[in-house]
Amino acid sequence: MEDRWTGVKPSRLGPPYTAFSLFFVLLLGVWSPQALEMSVGKIPFLEAVNGSTVMLPCTYASCIGIKNLYFLWQFNNNGTMVKLCDSTIPSEEVEPQVNIHHERVEFVGKNHKNNISIMLWNITFEDGGQYTCFGRNPKEKDKNHSAIFNLIVVDELRVVDNTLTIIIASAVGGAIAFLMGFMLLKNFTLFVLSKLEEKNKECLVTSSGIDNTENGLSGSKADSKPTPKKK
């Protein structure tokens, strides 16, 4: 005779519990902080003259702090990523020992300012393209973060023609000045008219008082005449 095992069948979560669990997971996903952020500034490109020296900016920010932060600068050379420099920052306020992989690259960043910028000396036309500032922080489970900076190398910097800008600015300034003058003239005219109206009202009140006074005097004189006696 075979023994049969009788157990309690586990209850399955109904739709309300499943929906609550899904909402809780999504809520955790929304509130999980983006711990590390790489930034190359508000203007992620630079136009420089051939033969000059340029700085490629990059900073990092972390709301949970860093520990053994790995960063890397690399250049996209027609689809091939060329490593320029890399290092590991043990912790905040500790300056890293940077490994340089390019002869014209110099690390100029300061870790106490979260700055990992580099200098590129004597640039050539071949240096034009995309530069990637990469970072990975083990404190956030080694998530990868990066920011791209574009370098444009030219023969000479273009002279910007500001004629149109000056014309537009002059036209706008003239329109504003005209509007302000019109408003001042309007306010002055209304002020003068109000003063004239007040003066006219005063004159009317004064003349009315004089007329009433004269009428009252003449009436009293007429009333004071003696009545003739009958003979």
Side-chain angles (χ1 to χ4, degrees), residues 11-216:
S11 60
R12 295 182 178 179
L13 294 177
Y17 299 100
T18 306
F20 178 77
S21 301
L22 180 60
F23 174 76
F24 185 72
V25 171
L26 291 176
L27 185 64
L28 287 178
V30 170
W31 283 97
S32 61
Q34 296 296 326
L36 183 65
E37 180 183 358
M38 313 299 291
S39 174
V40 292
K42 295 182 178 180
I43 303 177
F45 65 89
L46 175 66
E47 190 173 282
V49 179
N50 180 34
S52 62
T53 299
V54 297
M55 185 183 72
L56 307 182
C58 186
T59 58
Y60 68 87
S62 176
C63 60
I64 63 173
I66 64 169
K67 182 178 181 181
N68 295 327
L69 169 66
Y70 174 76
F71 74 89
L72 164 70
W73 271 100
Q74 51 189 356
F75 171 61
N76 187 353
N77 186 10
N78 296 324
T80 302
M81 302 307 293
V82 180
K83 184 184 293 187
L84 303 178
C85 71
D86 68 328
S87 182
T88 299
I89 304 176
S91 62
E92 298 174 355
E93 303 295 333
V94 177
E95 296 299 329
Q97 298 294 325
V98 182
N99 304 312
I100 304 296
H101 306 284
H102 193 285
E103 59 182 2
R104 290 186 288 112
V105 169
E106 178 185 358
F107 181 78
V108 294
K110 299 295 182 182
N111 187 40
H112 66 277
K113 296 183 178 180
N114 297 352
N115 190 335
I116 51 175
S117 304
I118 61 174
M119 193 81 75
L120 186 59
W121 294 84
N122 301 324
I123 62 173
T124 64
F125 290 107
E126 288 74 17
D127 294 325
Q130 289 186 347
Y131 291 80
T132 302
C133 179
F134 171 86
R136 182 172 62 240
N137 187 11
K139 291 189 70 173
E140 59 166 354
K141 298 181 180 180
D142 289 331
K143 290 184 179 180
N144 297 330
H145 301 272
S146 62
I148 296 177
F149 189 84
N150 288 281
L151 178 62
I152 305 170
V153 183
V154 296
D155 281 327
E156 58 182 9
L157 295 178
R158 292 173 295 178
V159 178
V160 180
D161 187 4
N162 294 326
T163 304
L164 181 60
T165 304
I166 294 173
I167 293 175
I168 295 175
S170 301
V172 173
I176 294 174
F178 174 77
L179 183 60
M180 292 179 63
F182 175 77
M183 295 300 295
L184 289 174
L185 181 61
K186 178 183 176 181
N187 293 334
F188 178 74
T189 304
L190 293 175
F191 175 76
V192 172
L193 291 176
S194 63
K195 289 297 182 182
L196 291 175
E197 186 176 358
E198 291 178 0
K199 187 174 182 180
N200 291 333
K201 287 181 179 179
E202 291 177 358
C203 291
L204 290 174
V205 171
T206 304
S207 61
S208 176
I210 293 174
D211 292 340
N212 291 333
T213 303
E214 291 178 353
N215 292 334

